[in-house]
Amino acid sequence: MFDIIKKLAQTYGPSGNEKKVAEAIIEMVKGKVDEIKTDPLGNLICVKKGTGGTGKKIMLAAHMDEIGVIVSHIDDKGFLRFSNIGGLPPHVILGQRVVFENGTVGVIWYEEDTEDKKNVKLEKMYIDIAAGSEKEAGNHVKIGDMAVFAADTISQNGRVISKALDDRVGCAVLVQLALNEPKTENDIYYVFTTQEEVGLRGARTAAFGIVPDMALAVDVCDTGDTPNCKPMSVRLGEGPTVKIKDSSVISHPMVKDRLIDAARKNNIPYQLEVMLRGGTDAGSIHVTAGGIPSGGVSIPTRYVHNTAEMVDINDVENAVKLLEAFVK
Ligand code: CO
Ligand code: ZN
């Protein structure tokens, strides 16, 4: 499981540039699913037909894209100005290392005369790629190129620390589930979506194309178990969550109840999730194609949208078990 998470987390894939992640996933699941296709927005759809051909269509969605930065200007000294791809808290990216698709590394810093350093705006920040001039910088990057956090993936005390666990850990859960080949009469659509971080975009067209009977977003959620954090009843290591609500969806009662049933009957630990901020692919799936009963299973994750996010490997493994019980 850790190896799958690490491989996917270390693959380059900011929103709109998820191709390498899709290729890595195809390598992992080919032979274990009946059909693999990519739709016009880049969503990777892997279908496992149910036994008997009488079952329902269940869509499981995890997004392939990760947050990052996009180059908007190169100045005459070779410094890059940039905008965000997805939600980037400015004060946490200061001093971070980023890497472009071609391997070019940059350091994010800010104009030294910035007065309110706590509320520094992206406009006051720049990326230094160790170039001495606009021309030299232009040899490595151009306007519109995207970079992602450069940070490794490690395992320690049963927990994983890595960049991009949002949502490569969700992709890893779906890959592992596909490898387990759960026996069910239902058709399972493993959907690896694009452009979630910029507005849940890929999932919308994927769901419209499939029109599933039921859908789950498999993503990360915040926790409420770190010093002096906001109150939230989710803790690392106490099980995957059954989503009740986030800012994009109120889970369908039938979907939510089935998940809870599946967890109880199989003695799988779970937690109930009410996420105060942030949405998931379920947000766009449930309002597609006449309406699709949707919900979510999340991996409790500390420090979401930072260079070092943290999950507990037991939660990841239990998420696989929970989904396996659910699709049956
Ligand atoms: Co995210
Ligand atoms: Zn996510």
Side-chain angles (χ1 to χ4, degrees), residues 73-114:
H73 180 260
I74 303 175
D75 76 15
D76 53 6
K77 298 207 168 58
F79 294 105
L80 319 178
R81 296 293 173 150
F82 64 96
S83 181
N84 60 305
I85 296 295
L88 273 189
H91 62 281
V92 307
I93 65 174
L94 278 178
Q96 295 299 340
R97 198 184 280 225
V98 292
V99 62
F100 289 86
E101 186 168 13
N102 65 7
T104 301
V105 170
V107 181
I108 299 182
W109 202 244
Y110 62 107
E111 296 175 19
E112 294 282 355
D113 65 353
T114 304

Side-chain angles (χ1 to χ4, degrees), residues 63 166 196-197 304-305:
H63 66 89
D166 176 11
E196 190 271 355
E197 297 289 4
V304 174
H305 285 203

Side-chain angles (χ1 to χ4, degrees), residues 91-161:
H91 62 281
V92 307
I93 65 174
L94 278 178
Q96 295 299 340
R97 198 184 280 225
V98 292
V99 62
F100 289 86
E101 186 168 13
N102 65 7
T104 301
V105 170
V107 181
I108 299 182
W109 202 244
Y110 62 107
E111 296 175 19
E112 294 282 355
D113 65 353
T114 304
E115 275 176 9
D116 185 359
K117 297 196 166 64
K118 190 160 176 278
N119 293 309
V120 57
K121 297 269 184 311
L122 291 186
E123 302 92 271
K124 302 291 266 180
M125 299 164 72
Y126 59 84
I127 299 172
D128 186 344
I129 57 165
S133 66
E134 183 178 351
K135 186 166 177 295
E136 194 179 3
N139 290 335
H140 300 278
V141 297
K142 54 186 190 314
I143 303 300
D145 283 358
M146 292 181 190
V148 298
F149 291 135
D152 59 8
T153 301
I154 63 119
S155 168
Q156 183 168 289
N157 301 328
R159 292 174 169 173
V160 178
I161 300 174

Side-chain angles (χ1 to χ4, degrees), residues 34 47-60 184-190 212-214 327:
D34 300 313
V47 190
K48 179 73 180 178
K49 292 269 178 236
T51 49
T54 50
K56 304 260 185 224
K57 284 188 196 173
I58 301 179
M59 170 173 173
L60 304 175
T184 166
E185 63 182 15
N186 299 311
D187 296 340
I188 308 178
Y189 287 72
Y190 298 96
D213 295 295
M214 211 182 291
V327 297

Side-chain angles (χ1 to χ4, degrees), residues 15 166 187 217 226 236:
S15 307
D166 176 11
D187 296 340
T226 52
L236 219 60

Side-chain angles (χ1 to χ4, degrees), residues 20 28 63 83-84 125 178 180 231 264-265 295:
K20 287 188 169 161
M28 293 170 178
H63 66 89
S83 181
N84 60 305
M125 299 164 72
N180 292 354
R264 287 215 179 117
K265 285 194 183 118

